[in-house]
Amino acid sequence: NAYNIYWIASIQAILFVLVIRKLCKGLFSGDDLRAVSLSLFGLIMLVPNFIMTNATLMSESLCSSIVPLIYYMVFLSKNRHRDIWASFFAGLLIMIRFEMLMFVAIIAFVALIWRQIYSIKQIAVWLSIPLLFVLLNTWKNNMTYAVPNPTSFGSGTVVYGGNNASGDGSWHPHAYFYKLGYIAPEYLTKYEASIDSGGVVEKMINQDALYKEMALAAWTRDSWKQIKAIPIKLLRTLFLPADLDIYTMTAPKQNKGVRIADHFGRSYSMLGNVKHAVFISAHWLLLIGILLGALKLVKIKSSNINYDRFFWVSILSLMAASLVYSIVFYGLPRFNAAWLPLLAINIGFFIRSRMGL
């Protein structure tokens, strides 16, 4: 192998532990809240879904550490170079997954409104490294593909996955399902031609453009079918742990609804059924804890500027992720891995209330 998965998973997990500990201590600072900080940190470390996410080599897994790290650097760190570090990690996050730009933008927006940005020089520092990374990526794409694309040529397949001809709101590998309703009949010939003709570079550029064209055509042909898929994509993204995916390898015509019950049954061993029950139950308890914490935070956020900032970053992040993954992209549980740990910090406010603090 070109890389050692165990080293990567270990580094990823260590980073997650360090970042969450820093964030818990920073947000719940002071001797009177030390018990809240420790309890919240311990609880998050025991969440089986986070443990599995950090043992899995997904791009979203690394994002789950970097999103909270940027928040910490911007709002809680006392490091005199924190603006540079925030800029660096923001650039890194965008390069890992370009749609993570929405979380960077939300943190920057809250920082601007709550006067965390206080000079033109600071804005320049924040923008410098992300812009440098984007320019370098644009240059690389221009050198490789002769197209100055700031992102990648993989966005088309992601957009089409969520807005495909079958209306199931899921991405599928073309080798298995493209003739089974995933690709509209009128596009089959053009789609097969994009696969079989031209070199590697030409194929990537042509297929990316074709996927976007087909997504627009799917909405034009039957917009109601695509609208009906939006709540399904949202529920799939929110209501299941990140490492469960039964949608990708299911034929489009059979891939309808949230399909929580399809994670159980005779097609799985007893151990498989138990594992799914434990992980899904733990995920739902996590969501309930986040909701309870957010409700407690609403009542006390005006008493502490750090609480107020965290509340708005949480709310805006949830709204942005819900819109992007339910409308623009396809619905898949793994997409919640990048931002759910940040929202899990809300549980600390529920713990705080139960301790009478």
Side-chain angles (χ1 to χ4, degrees):
N1 289 332
Y3 52 84
N4 188 310
I5 60 174
Y6 302 106
W7 273 110
I8 294 174
S10 298
I11 293 169
Q12 189 170 264
I14 291 170
L15 177 63
F16 182 80
V17 172
L18 294 176
V19 169
I20 295 300
R21 183 70 190 110
K22 278 284 189 181
L23 190 51
C24 290
K25 286 181 67 177
L27 196 58
F28 299 98
S29 58
D31 292 340
D32 56 332
L33 294 176
R34 183 175 298 171
V36 176
S37 172
L38 289 171
S39 299
L40 175 61
F41 173 71
L43 180 64
I44 292 178
M45 291 301 106
L46 292 174
V47 174
N49 306 332
F50 292 161
I51 295 171
M52 287 303 298
T53 297
N54 279 284
T56 306
L57 302 188
M58 302 187 297
S59 56
E60 293 88 353
S61 302
L62 189 54
C63 295
S64 71
S65 297
I66 298 179
V67 171
L69 182 55
I70 295 171
Y71 182 92
Y72 174 80
M73 284 296 172
V74 171
F75 295 116
L76 300 172
S77 175
K78 294 178 173 58
N79 189 303
R80 64 192 183 96
H81 300 300
R82 65 182 191 176
D83 290 333
I84 297 174
W85 282 113
S87 179
F88 171 76
F89 288 119
L92 185 63
L93 183 67
I94 294 168
M95 287 297 99
I96 294 172
R97 293 190 68 90
F98 203 80
E99 76 268 18
M100 294 293 113
L101 176 62
M102 62 181 164
F103 298 112
V104 174
I106 287 168
I107 291 173
F109 171 76
V110 172
L112 180 64
I113 298 300
W114 272 259
R115 300 179 182 179
Q116 190 71 19
I117 299 176
Y118 45 81
S119 70
I120 299 297
K121 179 182 177 181
Q122 187 183 21
I123 294 174
V125 170
W126 280 22
L127 292 176
S128 60
I129 299 179
L131 282 176
L132 175 62
F133 283 3
V134 170
L135 287 172
L136 288 173
N137 196 57
T138 304
W139 172 79
K140 183 203 71 174
N141 283 335
N142 192 49
M143 294 293 291
T144 306
Y145 306 105
V147 178
N149 187 347
T151 58
S152 71
F153 294 98
S155 58
T157 184
V158 176
V159 171
Y160 182 70
N163 304 275
N164 67 65
S166 74
D168 77 332
S170 184
W171 180 86
H172 302 280
H174 90 92
Y176 297 95
F177 302 115
Y178 82 94
K179 288 185 177 180
L180 301 178
Y182 188 56
I183 304 297
E186 63 269 26
Y187 274 100
L188 280 175
T189 301
K190 192 174 182 180
Y191 179 75
E192 290 171 342
S194 73
I195 296 172
D196 298 331
S197 61
V200 174
V201 171
E202 185 182 355
K203 285 180 181 179
M204 290 185 67
I205 295 172
N206 291 341
Q207 286 179 26
D208 186 58
L210 180 58
Y211 275 126
K212 293 172 182 175
E213 178 186 332
M214 291 191 298
L216 180 60
W219 271 89
T220 304
R221 184 187 312 108
D222 191 345
S223 57
W224 179 237
K225 180 190 288 187
Q226 303 302 325
I227 291 171
K228 287 191 296 183
I230 290 174
I232 299 300
K233 291 189 286 183
L234 177 61
L235 292 175
R236 287 177 181 175
T237 303
L238 289 177
F239 274 27
L240 287 166
D243 61 320
L244 294 185
D245 174 18
I246 60 174
Y247 311 106
T248 299
M249 298 304 293
T250 300
K253 292 183 179 179
Q254 300 169 6
N255 191 33
K256 305 299 181 183
V258 184
R259 300 182 59 200
I260 291 175
D262 289 350
H263 289 83
F264 306 95
R266 295 181 178 179
S267 57
Y268 301 101
S269 66
M270 184 179 74
L271 182 61
N273 279 282
V274 171
K275 175 192 171 185
H276 289 171
V278 170
F279 274 66
I280 292 174
S281 298
H283 185 76
W284 288 356
L285 287 173
L286 180 68
L287 295 180
I288 292 170
I290 291 171
L291 176 60
L292 293 174
L295 292 174
K296 295 296 182 182
L297 177 56
V298 170
K299 298 178 181 179
I300 63 171
K301 64 184 180 68
S302 59
S303 65
N304 187 313
I305 191 171
N306 285 329
Y307 295 172
D308 205 20
R309 290 166 176 165
F310 186 79
F311 172 79
W312 284 109
V313 168
S314 297
I315 293 298
L316 293 174
S317 295
L318 180 60
M319 290 174 60
S322 299
L323 291 172
V324 168
Y325 294 118
S326 66
I327 298 176
V328 183
F329 294 168
Y330 55 96
L332 197 64
R334 66 178 286 174
F335 289 144
N336 69 48
W339 40 273
L340 204 56
L342 180 66
L343 295 188
I345 300 298
N346 278 283
I347 298 173
F349 298 102
F350 178 70
I351 296 173
R352 183 180 184 274
S353 71
R354 300 304 297 174
M355 290 183 174
L357 300 173

